[in-house]
Amino acid sequence: MKVLVPVKRVVDYNVKVRVKSDGSGVDIANVKMSMNPFDEIALEEATRLKEAGKVTEIVAVTCGVTQAQETLRTGMAIGADRGILVETGPEIEPLGVAKVLKALADKEQPQLIILGKQAIDDDSNQTGQMLASLLGWPQATFASKVVLEDGKVTVTREVDGGLETVALSLPAIVTTDLRLNEPRYVTLPNIMKAKKKLLETIKPEDLGVDVTPRLKTLKVSEPAKRSAGIKVPDVATLVQKLRTEAKVI
């Protein structure tokens, strides 16, 4: 069984994001980049399924600039057998990613696609659902438990009301939540082994996909800073301030 795991190169979650002075976007110059945490969880889950004998091959895929090869090498150090980089510009929308992944799925013929539920840079939470629609495959989003057996995948999902368990026929798409697992620490020997694994580089045009953005960013700005709280002597003063200053009543 082959598993496809899309991963994304994002600003590291420990970095405080800064907006460019001209408001055109986020400043990533000299900023530490890493694999999207949700995608790291997806790759860890695929690796565990392979270690359990349920999966035979894991293919890590990413869309982005040339430097995204580092993210794929990290993925191969975690457990992916090979990597595919689809070279695009720094900005690619979820629909464009879904179209690329659809073309790769048609080419690679995986039985399962596991990806993070969202990326921490744009928080779109759209790619997995769009991909399922394009492929016509069943999907289970926000997975906190995955069991693969007898030609189907059983997924426990995190929903507003608690947990929901669904069973999908393969091929299928699963998007991962934080509580699915804890990714392993990447060891130096595995990093060295990853350097010898196959990494293929292609263009969207090679797949017959147009990833031209459909949206235009007008302005990016930081959220307004919260003002400090104050103490009031009595309820009457509180009501008066809520009415005249906060204007909420």
Side-chain angles (χ1 to χ4, degrees):
M1 176 182 288
K2 183 189 292 186
V3 177
L4 197 68
V5 183
V7 298
K8 186 176 183 182
R9 178 178 183 259
V10 299
V11 176
D12 190 86
Y13 68 92
N14 287 314
V15 174
K16 186 181 186 307
V17 175
R18 301 188 306 272
V19 175
K20 293 180 180 178
S21 58
D22 61 0
S24 61
V26 173
D27 186 6
I28 60 172
N30 301 316
V31 169
K32 181 183 178 183
M33 307 293 284
S34 61
M35 185 185 298
N36 177 47
F38 290 104
D39 297 336
E40 198 173 358
I41 290 170
L43 196 50
E44 172 67 25
E45 190 64 21
T47 303
R48 293 186 184 188
L49 289 172
K50 184 181 178 183
E51 291 171 346
K54 307 286 187 181
V55 170
T56 54
E57 184 182 21
I58 302 170
V59 183
V61 181
T62 192
C63 299
V65 295
T66 305
Q67 292 88 333
Q69 291 183 12
E70 301 170 8
T71 305
L72 286 176
R73 291 295 180 193
T74 301
M76 288 187 277
I78 292 174
D81 297 290
R82 57 189 174 94
I84 301 175
L85 167 63
V86 182
E87 280 194 324
T88 65
E91 300 294 331
I92 179 170
E93 295 169 1
L95 180 59
V97 176
K99 287 180 177 179
V100 168
L101 295 177
K102 195 267 184 187
L104 284 173
D106 291 339
K107 177 183 175 183
E108 295 285 340
Q109 294 294 307
Q111 286 72 52
L112 184 63
I113 299 177
I114 308 178
L115 65 161
K117 69 172 184 176
Q118 65 194 75
I120 61 172
D121 51 2
D122 58 17
D123 273 336
S124 293
N125 182 20
Q126 296 175 341
T127 303
Q129 293 88 329
M130 287 178 171
L131 179 58
S133 178
L134 291 174
L135 286 170
W137 290 7
Q139 60 175 312
T141 55
F142 319 134
S144 60
K145 183 179 180 182
V146 175
V147 178
L148 186 62
E149 59 186 0
D150 300 329
K152 67 178 183 180
V153 58
T154 304
V155 179
T156 301
R157 303 179 59 234
E158 302 259 348
V159 296
D160 291 340
L163 299 176
E164 176 185 54
T165 301
V166 295
L168 311 178
S169 299
L170 298 177
I173 290 174
V174 175
T175 72
T176 60
D177 212 331
L178 283 174
R179 280 161 288 281
L180 179 58
N181 61 51
E182 184 175 343
R184 68 194 64 192
Y185 178 76
V186 180
T187 62
L188 183 58
N190 286 337
I191 293 174
M192 300 307 293
K193 290 177 184 177
K195 292 182 178 180
K196 298 180 181 179
K197 293 182 179 179
L198 177 64
L199 197 160
E200 181 184 1
T201 301
I202 58 177
K203 302 278 188 183
E205 303 83 61
D206 301 332
L207 300 169
V209 177
D210 179 15
V211 295
T212 304
R214 295 167 176 246
L215 303 176
K216 180 181 179 181
T217 300
L218 301 179
K219 184 181 180 183
V220 177
S221 58
E222 293 187 13
K225 293 183 179 180
R226 296 177 61 181
S227 57
I230 60 172
K231 291 183 178 181
V232 293
D234 50 46
V235 175
T237 306
L238 173 62
V239 172
Q240 186 265 333
K241 286 186 176 293
L242 289 174
R243 180 178 291 121
T244 58
E245 297 181 15
K247 299 187 185 302
V248 294
I249 59 174

